[in-house]
């Protein structure tokens, strides 16, 4: 019977060795799973700020970026509205996105999307469930701001540019062919988006309200994006020098929009501005009906 003792010890040694191998395997698998779960990667956007140009898209993007569950593309990508970019495919588009953790929301903004006819279908083909944010402001004020930006860029490059009234008026009447005016016909552009996406996937942000009182607009945006409420009134402070709100992150870092924001508008006579307001009256009414709310525009 003495021979059974060595055999029993050998069996126990083999079992112990096998147990160690199994435990090592479990630890490796667990570690690998944990790394995979925590790994950041570039993801296609779950939400896109589609416009409007000179409506406050940059301010909205920076404010949403205060949320710990949001990562934003820092530059305008122009994937869906620039043919050269679109032909590069979704892999190229994804490569323009920030790295995010699982569960974080990727947000991209390109205000040129809103008025580009080909974009709604292209966005839908990428992701029919994507959430769309549209920030709007008084279309007359937006037009003047649009012109002011173009004028500034031309002056910076020492290139001549016509006065606004020469572009806006033809024989004393509003010229409907002026591109900056066409961008302010919100109802026409939104109609194309609503031909593709249901109304509940488009959230309209009041651009003027976002600048005057940011927090309520951001709370509504959080709800639309199904984000837990993390942005607080303490994330904003009024900069008396700049004349608008700046941002304060949870880490205590503050950020103000660059000096091009709040740039003084190019001159436009009060008579021409009144004509512009009259021209937009009916387009604005149609837009109000489409979105189910009204705005205090001229």
């Amino acid at each position: 019977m003495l021979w059974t003792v060595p055999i029993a010890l050998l069996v126990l040694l083999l079992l112990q060795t096998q147990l160690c191998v199994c435990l090592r395997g479990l630890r490796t698998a667990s570690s690998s799973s944990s790394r995979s779960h925590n790994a950041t990667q570039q993801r296609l956007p779950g939400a896109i700020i589609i416009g409007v140009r000179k409506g406050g898209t940059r301010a909205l993007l920076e404010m949403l970026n205060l949320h710990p569950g949001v990562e934003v593309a820092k530059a305008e990508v122009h994937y869906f509205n620039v043919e050269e970019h679109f032909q590069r495919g979704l892999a190229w588009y994804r490569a323009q996105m920030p790295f995010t953790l699982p569960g974080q929301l990727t947000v991209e903004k390109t205000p040129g999307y809103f008025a580009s006819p080909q974009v709604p279908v292209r966005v839908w083909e990428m992701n029919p469930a994507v959430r769309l944010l549209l920030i709007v402001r008084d279309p007359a004020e937006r037009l003047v701001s649009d012109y002011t930006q173009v004028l500034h860029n031309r002056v910076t490059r020492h290139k001549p540019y016509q006065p606004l009234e020469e572009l806006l008026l033809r024989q004393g009447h509003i010229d409907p062919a002026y591109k900056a005016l066409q961008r302010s016909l919100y109802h026409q552009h939104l109609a194309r988006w609503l031909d593709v996406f249901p109304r509940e996937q488009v959230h309209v942000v009041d651009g003027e309200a976002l600048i005057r009182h940011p927090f309520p607009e951001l709370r509504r945006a959080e709800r639309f994006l199904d984000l837990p409420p993390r942005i607080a009134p303490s994330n904003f402070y009024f900069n008396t020098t700049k004349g608008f709100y700046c941002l304060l992150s949870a880490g205590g870092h503050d950020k103000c929009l660059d000096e091009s924001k709040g740039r003084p508008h190019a001159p436009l006579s009060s008579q021409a501005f009144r004509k512009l307001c009259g021209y937009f009256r009916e387009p604005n009414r149609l837009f109000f009906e489409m979105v189910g709310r009204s705005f205090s525009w001229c």
Side-chain angles (χ1 to χ4, degrees), residues 131-187:
R131 300 183 188 223
L132 308 169
L133 295 120
L134 174 66
I135 180 167
V136 294
R137 64 186 289 199
D138 186 315
E141 295 284 353
R142 193 220 66 81
L143 181 151
V144 179
S145 182
D146 195 330
Y147 170 85
T148 301
Q149 177 174 298
V150 175
L151 174 66
H152 175 78
N153 293 341
R154 300 279 294 192
V155 170
T156 301
R157 297 197 299 268
H158 306 289
K159 293 185 177 182
Y161 201 59
Q162 289 175 267
L164 177 54
E165 286 196 37
E166 290 182 14
L167 294 168
L168 182 61
L169 301 176
R170 178 177 294 179
Q171 297 179 343
H173 299 286
I174 298 292
D175 182 3
Y178 180 37
K179 281 190 175 181
L181 181 129
Q182 293 174 359
R183 293 188 195 104
S184 283
L185 299 174
Y186 301 154
H187 72 293

Side-chain angles (χ1 to χ4, degrees), residues 29-42:
S30 175
S31 175
S32 174
S33 174
S34 176
R35 282 196 302 272
S36 174
H37 180 72
N38 292 323
T40 61
Q41 66 183 55
Q42 291 167 297

Side-chain angles (χ1 to χ4, degrees), residues 57-206:
T57 57
R58 173 57 58 181
L60 178 59
L61 187 78
E62 296 291 354
M63 291 177 185
L64 285 174
N65 201 31
L66 291 168
H67 198 290
V70 171
E71 289 292 343
V72 304
K74 302 303 182 186
E76 294 176 7
V77 182
H78 292 277
Y79 173 66
F80 297 102
N81 65 327
V82 173
E83 200 62 31
E84 179 187 352
H85 294 173
F86 187 70
Q87 293 304 321
R88 294 174 180 173
L90 284 176
W92 179 87
Y93 183 47
R94 183 184 287 107
Q96 313 311 308
M97 296 300 120
F99 284 85
T100 57
L101 291 166
Q104 283 188 306
L105 176 69
T106 299
V107 180
E108 189 244 313
K109 80 101 174 172
T110 299
Y113 290 161
F114 182 56
S116 299
Q118 74 276 24
V119 170
V121 170
R122 288 177 170 183
V123 173
W124 186 88
E125 288 173 347
M126 176 201 69
N127 181 5
V130 69
R131 300 183 188 223
L132 308 169
L133 295 120
L134 174 66
I135 180 167
V136 294
R137 64 186 289 199
D138 186 315
E141 295 284 353
R142 193 220 66 81
L143 181 151
V144 179
S145 182
D146 195 330
Y147 170 85
T148 301
Q149 177 174 298
V150 175
L151 174 66
H152 175 78
N153 293 341
R154 300 279 294 192
V155 170
T156 301
R157 297 197 299 268
H158 306 289
K159 293 185 177 182
Y161 201 59
Q162 289 175 267
L164 177 54
E165 286 196 37
E166 290 182 14
L167 294 168
L168 182 61
L169 301 176
R170 178 177 294 179
Q171 297 179 343
H173 299 286
I174 298 292
D175 182 3
Y178 180 37
K179 281 190 175 181
L181 181 129
Q182 293 174 359
R183 293 188 195 104
S184 283
L185 299 174
Y186 301 154
H187 72 293
Q188 291 184 1
H189 308 305
L190 182 59
R192 284 195 295 266
W193 286 91
L194 296 183
D195 283 342
V196 179
F197 289 93
R199 173 67 183 87
E200 58 268 21
Q201 271 179 248
V202 182
H203 178 66
V204 178
V205 178
D206 184 337

